Amino acid sequence: MLKAGPQGLTPDGEKKKARVYTDGFFDFVHFSNAKLLWPAKQYGKKLIVGIHSDDELDNNGICPIFTDEERYRLISAIRWVDEAFEDAPFQPEMSTLNQLDCDIIAIPDISHPTTVETARYEEIRGSDRAKQYVISEHVTDQEVAGRLMLVTKSHHMETDSILEFKSAMLPFALDPVSNEPVISVSLFKQNYTFAPIVIGKKPKATDKVIYVSGAFDLFHAGHLSFLEAAKELGDYLIVGIVGDDDVNEEKGTIFPVMNLLERTLSVASLKIVDEVFVGVPPITTTRFVNLIKPTKIAIYPETHPRRFAGCTQLGIIKEVAPDYDATCEEILERITSRKIASSEDDEIALFSGIPLNNNQH
């Protein structure tokens, strides 16, 4: 479990610096990127994150699934990221820290670094301005690609795993400065009640509450754009995450590629999200609406009518048009059309023939 140090102190017991720098290419496993950046934030009052460009990665033999524009947008949206910038140098130097007015660089301690990863920090690693931190277990891009290759559902989980959710969710719900919960997370129960996992802020009486729901699988820039458009409708954004069994029943095969906890962490890491309901039913009924009492329900323009069929008479459904158009299907097509190198044996595997369905939001 991720743990925060005492307020104002780093995990080493030192006084936090003003600005801490870290970098990476941060590809398509969004919640894992957020988890990687969370301990880096513990070393400074502000976290500045450099994003390597597509060209820079290509020059170093790396081919990301997401574009640099998408990766920048997703990393910038994480609650504990204060600043992000594109075209960060692949090999940071002292001059990089000086130009960004950063006191230190936080370097994740990778268990089995490749030659390329080792060389990246060669100049700066031994400096007193470098802080190396141990990263907790996280899902890698290669592991997700492996799920596709093996066409497995073993990563799916039961919705009522509340203890597992609570230990993983708490850091994602905290304000990184005060260490107090700033979002609320609750588990939906079959009797139409909610079991609180994390209790954070609640909407004020005057807030316009916006509700959205979906799978949010392989969280991407299209998802973020949709949530941003939904948040513009009001003041307080609640996101419902549909359970693994329900997603699989609708989509079939291996879906969801990310399990319920992983999908929840991706959404909970966002600055614009105020509350998350975990394991909500795929069809939003009037009974469910009466439970959460939203001002508006935001939906994609192409959402299947049956998902909100019982709520149309309420007059609160609003179609929103994201400014960035992408679907889970498109992301899967990118993955299956590329060669992904295994980090263990450097063999190249071409993932193809993965069954895809339309409108995989």
Short mmCIF file of all heavy atoms in Angstrom, two decimals, residues 104 123 159 177 186 196 221 225 240 339:
data_model
loop_
_atom_site.label_atom_id
_atom_site.label_comp_id
_atom_site.label_asym_id
_atom_site.label_seq_id
_atom_site.Cartn_x
_atom_site.Cartn_y
_atom_site.Cartn_z
N ILE A 104 15.07 18.83 -6.76
CA ILE A 104 15.53 17.45 -6.86
C ILE A 104 14.82 16.75 -8.00
O ILE A 104 13.83 17.24 -8.55
CB ILE A 104 15.28 16.66 -5.56
CG1 ILE A 104 13.77 16.62 -5.24
CG2 ILE A 104 16.06 17.23 -4.39
CD1 ILE A 104 13.41 15.71 -4.09
N GLU A 123 24.12 10.30 -15.48
CA GLU A 123 24.84 11.48 -14.99
C GLU A 123 24.31 11.96 -13.65
O GLU A 123 25.06 12.35 -12.76
CB GLU A 123 24.74 12.63 -16.00
CG GLU A 123 25.47 13.88 -15.51
CD GLU A 123 24.96 15.16 -16.18
OE1 GLU A 123 24.47 15.08 -17.32
OE2 GLU A 123 25.05 16.22 -15.55
N THR A 159 -17.15 -7.80 -7.33
CA THR A 159 -17.47 -6.43 -6.98
C THR A 159 -17.40 -6.16 -5.48
O THR A 159 -17.09 -5.06 -5.05
CB THR A 159 -18.87 -6.06 -7.50
OG1 THR A 159 -18.91 -6.27 -8.92
CG2 THR A 159 -19.23 -4.61 -7.20
N VAL A 177 -1.18 17.17 -0.09
CA VAL A 177 -0.57 18.13 0.85
C VAL A 177 -1.08 17.91 2.27
O VAL A 177 -0.32 17.75 3.21
CB VAL A 177 -0.87 19.58 0.40
CG1 VAL A 177 -0.31 20.57 1.43
CG2 VAL A 177 -0.26 19.85 -0.98
N SER A 186 -17.53 4.86 -2.88
CA SER A 186 -18.47 3.94 -2.26
C SER A 186 -18.72 2.74 -3.16
O SER A 186 -18.68 2.85 -4.38
CB SER A 186 -19.81 4.64 -1.97
OG SER A 186 -19.63 5.73 -1.10
N PRO A 196 -19.57 2.80 2.14
CA PRO A 196 -18.46 3.76 1.98
C PRO A 196 -17.10 3.07 2.07
O PRO A 196 -16.87 2.24 2.94
CB PRO A 196 -18.67 4.73 3.15
CG PRO A 196 -20.08 4.53 3.59
CD PRO A 196 -20.39 3.10 3.31
N ALA A 221 -7.60 9.30 -23.55
CA ALA A 221 -7.91 10.73 -23.67
C ALA A 221 -9.36 10.98 -24.03
O ALA A 221 -9.93 12.02 -23.69
CB ALA A 221 -6.99 11.38 -24.69
N SER A 225 -11.73 13.45 -21.92
CA SER A 225 -12.45 14.53 -22.59
C SER A 225 -13.94 14.48 -22.27
O SER A 225 -14.58 15.51 -22.04
CB SER A 225 -12.22 14.44 -24.10
OG SER A 225 -12.92 15.45 -24.77
N GLY A 240 -19.82 6.63 -12.01
CA GLY A 240 -20.16 5.25 -11.69
C GLY A 240 -19.35 4.31 -12.57
O GLY A 240 -19.30 4.49 -13.79
N LYS A 339 4.07 -4.15 -32.52
CA LYS A 339 4.92 -5.14 -31.88
C LYS A 339 5.36 -4.58 -30.53
O LYS A 339 5.91 -3.49 -30.45
CB LYS A 339 6.14 -5.44 -32.75
CG LYS A 339 5.79 -6.13 -34.06
CD LYS A 339 7.04 -6.37 -34.88
CE LYS A 339 6.68 -7.09 -36.19
NZ LYS A 339 7.88 -7.34 -37.01
#
